[in-house]
Amino acid sequence: MNPESLQHAVCASVDAHAQTYTAASDAIWEHPEVNFHEDASAGILRALLLQNGFSVTDRLDGMPNAFRAEYGSGRPVLAFLGEFDALSAMSQKAGCAVREPVTPGAPGHGCGHNLLGVGSLAAAVAVKEAIAAGLLSGTVVYFGCPAEETGSAKTFLARDGFFDGLDAILSWHPWDYNGIWPGGSLANVKMIFRFTGQSAHAAGSPELGRSALDALELMNVGVQFLREHVPEDTRIHYAITDAGGLSPNVVQARAEAVYLVRSQRLADLEGIKQRVIDCARGAAIMTGTTMEMEFVKGCSNILPNTAMEEVLISSMQTVGAPGYTQTELALARSLHDSLEAPERTLAKLSRLCASDVRERVMAHQGEPIYSFIAPHTPTDAPIMTISTDAGDASWCAPTSQLSAAAWAADTPAHSWQAVAIGKSSIAHKAMLFAAKSLALSAARLMDEPETLSRARREFLARTKDHPYICPIPADVQPRL
């Protein structure tokens, strides 16, 4: 197929439905939902897919709002990943450059998943229309993936075979720059530790008490010392979710904390996880309490694929990054200036660049939006030490994802500033740019068997000596 014809077809599809997509994204922003409860958000996406001729299978793996939409037949089979969950306690008024929740304590889209889910859907529809017009042959699939932030739905789907048989997987994420998702990511596991002791009067009969809070605090101290003796890319986070009560004169009979442990390599993570559990066991022994551990979820590190990344960056350059009005730049500037702890995005991106390229990247420092397309240097190292359950999908089929500048420069993910900009024309432009780039990449992969084969060969070489081992045990079910 003529490359220019493919480009025109998929970009024209996105443009033709642009108002529908921006309205859908705004509707999801206005109804932020979390952790398998994304009923309205998933409903909006399912309805759009059905209207566009996709067949939809609901409740994948028994998870509410996990679904697969499909169009076409035969190979190749290309899939898009869509997320749509929000973050708790991130409510924020749209377009407002000061912290002002819509509803205090309510959720908000601090990671831009209102854009992510719709942008991937727009790409899937564009490929579907190209198949329907006879420009491409094969099957296009859209996965509706709930609970990325807290439930790792994609990890359960990967464990139970729902990504098997795919030839390639594409995705994207809103961020503060345009480029290829840099390198890998950190694998992680999430566990809840519950300590049970014996209540007693803290002054009258303290010898009868066995403090669960003491056990929890000793566990935290043990983990603090452990941090010196793990690989330097390890991250260990915790939150005390139950301190056992409000009365200091009562020995606390219960206490609970949730731990999130991250590492670049899944093999390292397993050992670190066991050492954290041992800290909890030791604390229980020291205090005469009992400890129960509940495994909540986990996700693998992203497996990069250079062949796929080359297709994505080429497609982004072909589509071209959006431009901005003075009003949009002013909004971005006001949100950038409100950042208490801005990211060092350009410094991170330029780390792997040659000196002349590094200078060109750093020359954009101070701009309110990083509107350029960042140069791509293939790497396995995670430049941004975050985690995503898209990592598990990447161990099932060749996978790559891009980022698009939906936020003001240096905006951290999971910030109220990311929520505030999520309904703006800046965010809409990023979503449509990502959709066109993804759709064009998918069209090229479907139309160029050798490129798809090269991506498959790279995937098989990377997994030959390290087959996928799901970080979630077989007996653990989604925490609904």
Side-chain angles (χ1 to χ4, degrees), residues 253-432:
R254 70 179 192 280
E256 177 183 291
V258 58
Y259 266 75
L260 188 64
V261 185
R262 308 181 198 248
S263 186
Q264 184 174 339
R265 291 162 294 276
L266 198 59
D268 291 342
L269 183 62
E270 181 61 27
I272 298 165
K273 178 189 79 173
Q274 290 302 322
R275 295 181 74 184
V276 170
I277 293 171
D278 286 344
C279 288
R281 288 173 175 156
I285 292 171
M286 285 189 286
T287 54
T289 60
T290 59
M291 185 275 293
E292 173 194 359
M293 188 275 286
E294 179 185 354
F295 189 100
V296 178
K297 61 102 174 177
C299 63
S300 301
N301 53 296
I302 289 176
L303 195 66
N305 191 286
T306 302
M308 297 271 288
E309 292 167 5
E310 290 173 353
V311 174
L312 275 177
I313 193 69
S314 173
S315 296
M316 295 176 75
Q317 292 166 346
T318 299
V319 172
Y324 303 99
T325 66
Q326 289 302 311
T327 300
E328 290 167 337
L329 292 172
L331 172 61
R333 174 63 67 190
S334 65
L335 286 167
H336 175 272
D337 292 346
S338 73
L339 295 170
E340 300 89 354
E343 284 279 358
R344 297 176 63 249
T345 299
L346 298 187
K348 292 177 179 178
L349 287 175
S350 65
R351 235 183 258 169
L352 300 174
C353 296
S355 57
D356 59 329
V357 178
R358 187 179 304 120
E359 290 177 6
R360 292 203 302 270
V361 169
M362 294 306 296
H364 293 279
Q365 192 70 55
E367 296 176 359
I369 303 177
Y370 294 139
S371 57
F372 67 103
I373 298 175
H376 174 54
T377 303
T379 176
D380 287 4
I383 306 304
M384 297 181 181
T385 49
I386 59 173
S387 303
T388 170
D389 59 4
D392 292 271
S394 76
W395 285 83
C396 301
T399 300
S400 191
Q401 52 188 354
L402 61 86
S403 63
W407 307 333
D410 298 322
T411 297
H414 297 194
S415 64
W416 64 261
Q417 288 89 349
V419 186
I421 206 168
K423 278 183 69 179
S424 70
S425 55
I426 295 171
H428 297 156
K429 287 180 176 180
M431 178 182 71
L432 298 174

Side-chain angles (χ1 to χ4, degrees), residues 132-145:
L135 301 176
L136 295 170
S137 60
T139 305
V140 59
V141 177
Y142 177 94
F143 282 99
C145 305

